[in-house]
Amino acid sequence: MKGSFITLEGIEGAGKSTCMAEVLTVLKTAGRDVLETREPGGTRLGEELRQLLLGHKHTGMHEDTELLLMFAARAEHLQQRILPALHAGRWVLCDRFTDASYAYQGGGRGMDMKRIQQLENWVQGDVRPDLTLLMDLPVELGLERAGKRSSPDRFESEALAFFQRVRKAYLEIARREPQRVQVIDASQSLENVQAQVREVIQRFLEQQA
Ligand code: TMP
């Protein structure tokens, strides 16, 4: 049986880690072999690029550089880990993927979406996630939740308006691709969010059967 490629997206404080754990539990209970990974990162090189992208060492990084480094990490991740896993029949559960480039670099930074699309086509060919869970909540609530964590990274240091543009771009993708992108109301209680996530994954598993 062919594996499926599932991604998780959302603004800071949306509860992706909780969602990740829930998806993993449902898939493992259903007997699926799952590769759990993240972007930027997922490989040794990718994790080093992640440090450059999220750290404060290169605060003034040009937006083109930022986008290219995201896709450089993605190329490595796809070729070295994601594609081999999918070809071996494993499932891949990835914390963020290319929708994050559209949302953060496209929406947040205001970069040309066509540029991102060109890189997507070049780096990924026709590889796209089979299912994406978008953890959605008001930006103020997300930032309040994220604010309770330790020192903010380079993205978490952005202003409210940046995240409002990120959220808008994510919701626009969900509107365009309602089949692939399932929106989870992440403003609800933990139990409620977990239940929404379970339902989406169980329905997806039934469709694959
Ligand atoms: P996180 O995985 O801990 O949420 O941190 C990753 C950060 O990187 C997050 O702020 C979103 C950002 N990001 C982009 O800006 N573009 C991308 O393509 C990806 C994968 C992440």
Side-chain angles (χ1 to χ4, degrees):
M1 201 196 289
K2 184 188 154 287
S4 293
F5 182 22
I6 302 179
T7 60
L8 306 182
E9 300 284 356
I11 57 162
E12 335 300 297
K16 279 189 295 103
S17 312
T18 311
C19 176
M20 190 95 176
E22 195 61 33
V23 175
L24 208 58
T25 304
V26 180
L27 290 179
K28 287 197 169 160
T29 306
R32 300 300 189 276
D33 177 15
V34 187
L35 166 69
E36 192 188 349
T37 186
R38 69 171 178 183
E39 290 210 349
T43 62
R44 215 151 64 88
L45 173 56
E47 291 295 329
E48 285 189 30
L49 291 173
R50 180 186 178 91
Q51 283 183 19
L52 294 176
L53 282 159
L54 269 58
H56 290 280
K57 199 169 157 194
H58 304 286
T59 304
M61 182 187 299
H62 192 276
E63 60 186 27
D64 286 353
T65 315
E66 180 178 285
L67 180 66
L68 288 166
L69 287 178
M70 290 290 179
F71 271 95
R74 185 160 297 136
E76 186 71 5
H77 194 201
L78 257 182
Q79 298 302 334
Q80 309 283 12
R81 297 204 69 202
I82 296 178
L83 290 177
L86 290 172
H87 290 150
R90 301 183 71 196
W91 284 48
V92 175
L93 177 57
C94 192
D95 183 344
R96 297 196 188 280
F97 195 63
T98 307
D99 292 322
S101 300
Y102 283 108
Y104 283 77
Q105 281 66 52
R109 302 253 187 258
M111 294 186 75
D112 185 354
M113 298 285 187
K114 286 201 202 83
R115 273 258 169 107
I116 304 173
Q117 208 171 26
Q118 283 169 349
L119 288 171
E120 180 182 38
N121 291 335
W122 180 44
V123 168
Q124 297 169 220
D126 59 5
V127 178
R128 301 288 182 275
D130 298 301
L131 173 70
T132 298
L133 275 74
L134 172 58
M135 311 291 288
D136 179 60
L137 82 177
V139 172
E140 291 83 352
L141 182 57
L143 292 185
E144 191 193 312
R145 286 184 185 170
K148 297 200 176 108
R149 293 186 214 135
S150 56
S151 47
D153 64 34
R154 206 170 58 85
F155 288 98
E156 287 164 346
S157 307
E158 288 289 341
L160 186 78
F162 175 88
F163 293 106
Q164 268 154 351
R165 292 193 297 274
V166 172
R167 182 185 186 204
K168 188 159 169 264
Y170 268 138
L171 289 173
E172 176 59 27
I173 299 171
R175 198 188 58 75
R176 272 203 322 269
E177 296 182 68
Q179 194 67 25
R180 172 178 71 87
V181 183
Q182 299 291 317
V183 182
I184 304 290
D185 179 357
S187 69
Q188 300 296 315
S189 69
L190 177 65
E191 293 74 24
N192 180 297
V193 171
Q194 286 170 325
Q196 291 180 62
V197 170
R198 269 199 304 280
E199 198 192 315
V200 168
I201 299 298
Q202 267 152 3
R203 201 176 337 123
F204 183 73
L205 279 166
E206 280 161 24
Q207 285 164 2
Q208 306 300 302

